[in-house]
Amino acid sequence: MQPVLFLSHGGGPLPLLDDPEHAELLLTYALIRHKLDGLQPLPSALLFISAHWETKEPTLTAAAQPSLLFDYYGFPPQSYQLRYPAPGAPGLAASLAEQLAAGGWTTHLDAERGLDHGVFVPGMLLFPRADIPCLQLSLLDSLDAAAHLELGHALRALRDENVLIIGSGFSFHNMRAFFDPVTNQEASLNLAFENWLESSLRIDDEQLRENSLANWKQAPGAAFCHPREEHLLPIHVCAAAAGKPVTQEWRFTALNRHGSCYWWD
């Protein structure tokens, strides 16, 4: 059985550009890569749920050789010349679409869309050989937490099919705050939400754990840390796909804010 992984992926391509404000994130990724390198067996495919793709109904990339989608702006020219030639997984995409349909989901395949930076940035850092097939599953544009927990339930069987499920977002994502000076009050809200998130993910009882995640807007600091929820929801998918409390957490500071990555055995 493959684990489940949630990654805070940093600011656009900055983790690939030796940005000093991502130094701790890169150290965290080095630890995660070491853990991934020890997996036996290695995953036969990677399923990414990225914060940067929202559709009305679940949609899967289905290209045999997916391109890259440079969905960021204003970065150095080399940011738009990156390559991550991992193969796609159209067969797995079709199979997963059938599984989701059997569970009542209306699902679509997209053979044109490339992998966005929520996929290829962590992919380049954690799987640099680009030899494991990658596909991407969209978030639901309803941004409903309970619906994303249900989506995670529908993915749970993939773990037994040797597929590594990876949520890619950011445990803190307030774009304005990234560029503002850090105040004591904001730092306190940031840390309070990180503590709440870890505590919720470690709840033993599955129903209580998922109830806490479904009601995340009631958490301390929630409105400040996530004015919009798309970077948080991949955690919901991961937690439900794992079906158990989180096993390991890594904390770091990036762009002067606290963030986390999570692993479920």
Side-chain angles (χ1 to χ4, degrees), residues 60-62 89-101 107-109 135:
L60 291 150
T61 57
L92 177 60
S95 174
L96 179 53
E98 291 179 0
Q99 292 179 39
L100 290 171
T107 310
H108 306 278
L109 300 177
L135 73 161

Side-chain angles (χ1 to χ4, degrees), residues 46-234:
L46 309 175
L47 173 66
F48 282 87
I49 302 95
S50 166
H52 294 280
W53 189 19
E54 301 171 23
T55 59
K56 182 177 181 180
E57 296 166 327
T59 305
L60 291 150
T61 57
Q65 295 293 329
S67 60
L68 299 189
L69 178 60
F70 298 112
D71 55 337
Y72 43 69
Y73 306 93
F75 290 95
Q78 63 266 35
S79 308
Y80 305 92
Q81 299 168 4
L82 298 169
R83 297 290 179 266
Y84 190 65
L92 177 60
S95 174
L96 179 53
E98 291 179 0
Q99 292 179 39
L100 290 171
W105 295 90
T106 301
T107 310
H108 306 278
L109 300 177
D110 188 335
E112 302 299 324
R113 191 183 192 276
L115 304 174
D116 63 49
H117 78 271
V119 178
F120 70 77
V121 170
M124 292 175 71
L125 292 168
L126 297 177
F127 305 96
R129 292 188 295 273
D131 56 354
I132 302 178
C134 292
L135 73 161
Q136 184 175 350
L137 173 65
S138 65
L139 293 177
L140 306 172
D141 63 11
S142 67
L143 301 181
D144 179 72
H148 286 86
L149 290 167
E150 289 301 316
L151 186 59
H153 292 159
L155 302 177
R156 192 174 291 182
L158 290 176
R159 302 184 65 200
D160 291 319
E161 299 172 20
N162 205 35
V163 176
L164 176 59
I165 299 169
I166 303 174
S168 179
F170 211 133
S171 60
F172 175 92
H173 196 259
N174 180 326
M175 288 297 293
R176 176 194 59 77
F178 280 133
F179 299 100
D180 286 348
V182 180
T183 66
N184 289 336
Q185 180 184 16
E186 289 183 351
S188 178
L189 290 171
N190 183 182
L191 189 57
F193 186 80
E194 291 289 327
N195 290 339
W196 170 87
L197 184 57
E198 181 186 1
S199 296
S200 295
L201 293 172
R202 291 192 181 278
I203 295 172
D204 286 329
D205 183 271
E206 182 172 11
Q207 183 174 350
L208 293 177
R209 184 171 63 250
E210 294 194 358
N211 283 345
S212 184
L213 292 171
N215 293 291
W216 71 271
K217 291 184 179 181
Q218 299 176 17
F224 169 68
C225 294
H226 291 279
R228 193 173 188 273
E229 49 265 78
E230 81 287 344
H231 275 72
L232 181 68
L233 290 174

Side-chain angles (χ1 to χ4, degrees), residues 29-39:
Y29 271 44
L31 295 173
I32 295 172
R33 181 178 172 185
H34 178 73
K35 197 170 177 75
L36 289 167
D37 287 343
L39 289 177

